[in-house]
Amino acid sequence: MRPPTDAADVVLACGEVRTGLLPSFQPLDSRAAAHLLQLRADERVRVSERPQLYALSPDTLTGVDCRLPAVDGAKVRVVGTVAARAVLTEGRVLQATAYFGAPASGPDRRQPWGHYLVRPGLLEPFGKLPEQAVAKGVLRGPQKGDLDLGLIAEGLLGQLRRHPLLDQNAPFKSAGTRLRWVARRAPDGEGPSITRFTLAEDQLRTVELRIPAAQEASAVAGLCEDLALHDWLLTTVVRMLDTSRLGAVGGAAAVLALRPAVDHLLHLWMPTARVDRTLSPLWEVLEREPGFSRQWQTSVQRIRDQLALQAIPLLREALASR
């Protein structure tokens, strides 16, 4: 679904991604994943199995007539629809995203709902859009009466987590993460860039992007879902290492604490596997600062070293019994 408004008219795209472990002891196969994410009867779930199992739901739309967050106190009223969708990776990690795009200006008067419904995922302001103030407001978080993208994403995530297909028995405990993102139009002739990425408290991350004029908000949402997925993987594995108390407890106990990472997470690390090709170079920025893959590889090596250390006594015992 693409709005009649050209993508080049969108000067600001904003969204929030919620990421967490699927409450199911066994990962879902492709058929079950498609059943879980069938949010609409008129559009199919997109499922692919290479290079890893990936399922993307169709968009659902939420009609809104409200204010956008703005740091300068401006009361920016918008009308339109917020798009929301869900992603399941390897039948194990569930994500929900709510996002929208906005043009530089909109009509001075409210239009009939039919005008907005044929522009899915687009919010039109009354008059001119104060881009910078709104971008900073979205990253700061909504105030009373403002549009809350996180609430929409969390509602979808909660709906899916309560699906009768799931046994509510996750194989290990983990915390969810939140990623708020804004993307503003890059100057003519410039490619995409990341201007800011932060790790805040309460599992909140924020990222500010610059994107080419013709880039659709749905593609930016895909990039941010990929970023949120890998941030959650890294955060979860690092927490497992911290709580395993390597060197302070018996080796068997440490191995037991780290086993969920080996069984369920280590094979999921595939940055940009499904990111739009024009946006995939942005991952290189994250490799330089804060260095996602370096920290991931260091964590994985620590886990493998610990497993190897525990295997040595077992191997000696087996050889001695011959």
Side-chain angles (χ1 to χ4, degrees), residues 2 6 25-26 35 58 63 66 80 86 96 114-115 133 143 158 199 212 222 258 273 280 295 301 308:
R2 295 185 178 181
D6 190 273
F25 187 76
Q26 296 293 338
H35 182 56
C66 60
H115 169 85
Q143 306 299 302
L199 300 177
L258 295 175
S280 58
Q295 188 176 5
Q301 191 59 51

Side-chain angles (χ1 to χ4, degrees), residues 5-147:
T5 302
D6 190 273
D9 295 332
V10 173
V11 298
L12 178 68
C14 306
E16 185 158 335
V17 189
R18 301 292 176 99
T19 305
L21 186 67
L22 188 74
S24 173
F25 187 76
Q26 296 293 338
L28 302 189
D29 61 20
S30 58
R31 181 175 297 182
H35 182 56
L36 175 70
L37 300 188
Q38 190 65 63
L39 303 181
R40 293 173 44 178
D42 63 337
E43 194 168 341
R44 297 180 62 183
V45 175
R46 292 168 50 192
V47 178
S48 62
E49 298 185 355
R50 300 289 185 274
Q52 59 186 187
L53 180 58
Y54 172 88
L56 173 66
S57 79
D59 281 356
T60 62
L61 302 177
T62 301
V64 300
D65 182 344
C66 60
R67 296 196 313 266
L68 290 180
V71 293
D72 60 0
K75 296 185 178 181
V76 185
R77 181 185 172 191
V78 291
V79 184
T81 58
V82 174
R85 68 189 194 186
V87 175
L88 185 64
T89 301
E90 277 296 305
R92 181 57 76 194
V93 184
L94 181 64
Q95 298 177 279
T97 304
Y99 68 96
F100 69 87
S105 61
D108 294 329
R109 292 184 299 176
R110 195 181 189 284
Q111 305 298 305
W113 267 115
H115 169 85
Y116 303 107
L117 291 176
V118 296
R119 294 165 170 80
L122 191 75
L123 298 184
E124 294 185 346
F126 282 63
K128 188 176 180 181
L129 179 74
E131 298 173 43
Q132 185 173 2
V134 170
K136 290 183 177 180
V138 169
L139 294 179
R140 176 198 63 189
Q143 306 299 302
K144 185 177 181 180
D146 291 344
L147 174 63

Side-chain angles (χ1 to χ4, degrees), residues 55 113 131 178 189 196 200 222 270 282 299 311:
W113 267 115
E131 298 173 43
R178 301 174 291 151
R196 185 176 65 166
M270 293 186 186
L282 291 177
S299 301

Side-chain angles (χ1 to χ4, degrees), residues 187-297:
D188 291 343
E190 289 190 13
S193 62
I194 295 178
T195 57
R196 185 176 65 166
F197 176 75
T198 63
L199 300 177
E201 297 179 355
D202 300 323
Q203 308 300 314
L204 173 65
R205 289 85 169 94
T206 63
V207 62
E208 187 171 0
L209 309 163
R210 290 281 187 170
I211 58 172
Q215 194 69 64
E216 294 188 357
S218 60
V220 184
L223 167 71
C224 293
E225 287 160 351
D226 190 66
L227 169 58
L229 168 66
H230 289 86
D231 171 74
W232 180 86
L233 288 171
L234 181 57
T235 300
T236 302
V237 168
V238 169
R239 185 175 291 111
M240 285 181 178
L241 282 165
D242 290 342
T243 57
S244 69
R245 301 176 62 198
L246 289 179
V249 298
V255 169
L256 188 63
L258 295 175
R259 181 171 176 175
V262 178
D263 291 345
H264 306 289
L265 301 181
L266 297 191
H267 62 290
L268 300 185
W269 191 265
M270 293 186 186
T272 71
R274 290 181 177 81
V275 173
D276 187 287
R277 285 181 296 176
T278 61
L279 296 175
S280 58
L282 291 177
W283 186 262
E284 298 174 5
V285 178
L286 297 171
E287 296 294 37
R288 294 193 299 270
E289 181 67 37
F292 269 44
S293 288
R294 289 198 306 273
Q295 188 176 5
W296 174 262
Q297 293 299 336

